[in-house]
Amino acid sequence: MEFIPDFGGFAFTLIAFIAALSIIVAIHEYGHYIVGRWSGIHAEVFSLGFGPVLFSRVDRRGTKWQVAALPFGGYVKFLGDSDAASGKDAAAIDALDVDERRRSMHGAPLWARAATVAAGPVFNFILSIAIFASVLMIAGRPVEAPIVGTPAALPAEMVTLDEGDRILSIEGEPVETLADVYTVARALEPTPTVGYIVERGGDEVAVTASFPLLPIVQSVTPQSAAIAAGIEEGDVIQAIDGVAVHAFSQLREAVDASAGDPLDLTVWRAGNTLDITLSPRRTDLPLADGGFETRWLIGITGGLIFDPVTERVGPGSALMAGAEQTIFVIRSSLSGLWHMITGAISSCNLQGPIGIAETSGAAASQGLDDFIWFIAVLSTAVGLLNLFPIPVLDGGHLVFHAYEAVAGKPPSDKALRIFMTAGLTLLLSLMLFALTNDLFCP
């Protein structure tokens, strides 16, 4: 009976991981398939998963669509391929006539092969941009004016503002935009309450309410100390080691000063008070300039005592923002990899399948919106990984195609076999290293 809760958590994590991976793999492989089809290359098999086939059907074009028992990847096998990694089946290709050879992956023109290979990662990036843009269009973005949308749920002794209030000043400091609210709040000495001048119902009203930037949990980072301790969105942290806190900055200072030692938090949640103990974790954070900052963190972000009024975002602006977010994930990933190689940050930042699965489960446990956002981030990472110039990956095949474009002929079959073996060895070594991180890194 004691094992059942752990098994339930494991099953939920596994299901979330399989769901996220299946979506990403399906989009990736569909990119290969559809661009190959447009380029005149025939796909013999489109498989979601590996191993024994659970379900399959053959479409009118002769492509076998199947779902296999091991849902940890997928592949498209084109005419002339010897395996799922698009190895060359020389005997099968030699048996094809001229027209059929043109429909094979290895007999098609160079442009068709290169486009088909590149399409997988490109479709991953398209998926990411589409998700980021859709989330922004659905949620909207805060208007520039400092207008209260939905007041936060707070303990009885804390006071928030009214819906529709437009903040004019805080403690005598003028406020014109939502950004000014943050700027003024960060400069204030933390106190239980502060004075506001707000426009309410057409009148200017002086009110007293809680500190603007409370230690209220706006979001929780997967695989963080906070999520491991059971911290949830909407929680309000009232005290640290028995000392009352009134601003998120006080929480941040206490976490920084802890150097990883346990902190006893008093947390308010929907009318109940909880005592939670957690230990901050040393974390490498990406910076906007491409560098990294190492800090002690518990894995939460703070928020205002209200949700701002939002405005609708048009498709064009949303797509632009989605592209910018995807580029940020790519830049951060490449920067992180470089900093790990040079030793500037810990190699424990490289996660393997267990770490990714745990992150999937943690994101799913926080709600559908967080899980969908995680899928977008992971899709970007998968697309980027596949572009690395490692044989057996799409990037390795693109390197071979670039060589063919320059030399006028593809690498020899013997050279390809050597490169593919070396690439597979390197990839498996990288996966083993990442798995080791999952098992032994703190």
Side-chain angles (χ1 to χ4, degrees), residues 205-228:
V205 181
V207 298
T208 300
S210 295
F211 196 83
L213 289 173
L214 283 175
I216 183 170
V217 179
Q218 191 173 59
S219 64
V220 187
T221 304
Q223 286 196 294
S224 63
I227 203 166

Side-chain angles (χ1 to χ4, degrees), residues 141-218:
R141 63 184 170 197
V143 299
E144 186 177 1
I147 302 175
V148 177
T150 305
L154 299 176
E157 66 273 17
M158 294 183 178
V159 183
T160 186
L161 301 172
D162 290 349
E163 183 176 354
D165 284 350
R166 182 187 180 115
I167 302 174
L168 302 177
S169 70
I170 303 174
E171 287 292 304
E173 292 293 329
V175 171
E176 295 182 358
T177 66
L178 186 63
D180 291 340
V181 175
Y182 288 93
T183 301
V184 172
R186 291 183 182 119
L188 291 177
E189 189 71 23
T191 54
T193 59
V194 298
Y196 297 81
I197 301 295
V198 301
E199 182 182 311
R200 180 180 294 173
D203 299 323
E204 290 190 9
V205 181
V207 298
T208 300
S210 295
F211 196 83
L213 289 173
L214 283 175
I216 183 170
V217 179
Q218 191 173 59

Side-chain angles (χ1 to χ4, degrees), residues 230-320:
I231 297 289
E232 298 179 4
E233 293 181 14
D235 286 354
V236 179
I237 298 172
Q238 296 180 294
I240 304 172
D241 292 336
V243 179
V245 292
H246 311 293
F248 191 83
S249 59
Q250 293 175 296
L251 172 62
R252 185 170 59 246
E253 290 168 2
V255 170
D256 286 340
S258 72
D261 291 337
L263 297 174
D264 295 322
L265 306 182
T266 302
V267 177
W268 179 89
R269 178 184 300 166
N272 299 311
T273 301
L274 310 173
D275 293 322
I276 295 177
T277 300
L278 51 72
S279 298
R281 297 177 181 176
R282 197 173 184 88
T283 307
D284 298 310
L285 291 175
L287 301 175
D289 62 1
F292 275 80
E293 176 185 26
T294 301
R295 290 172 50 194
W296 291 101
L297 299 176
I298 60 174
I300 67 172
T301 59
L304 294 167
I305 58 172
F306 61 89
D307 291 330
V309 169
T310 59
E311 62 182 357
R312 181 182 176 276
V313 181
S317 298
L319 286 172
M320 183 65 69

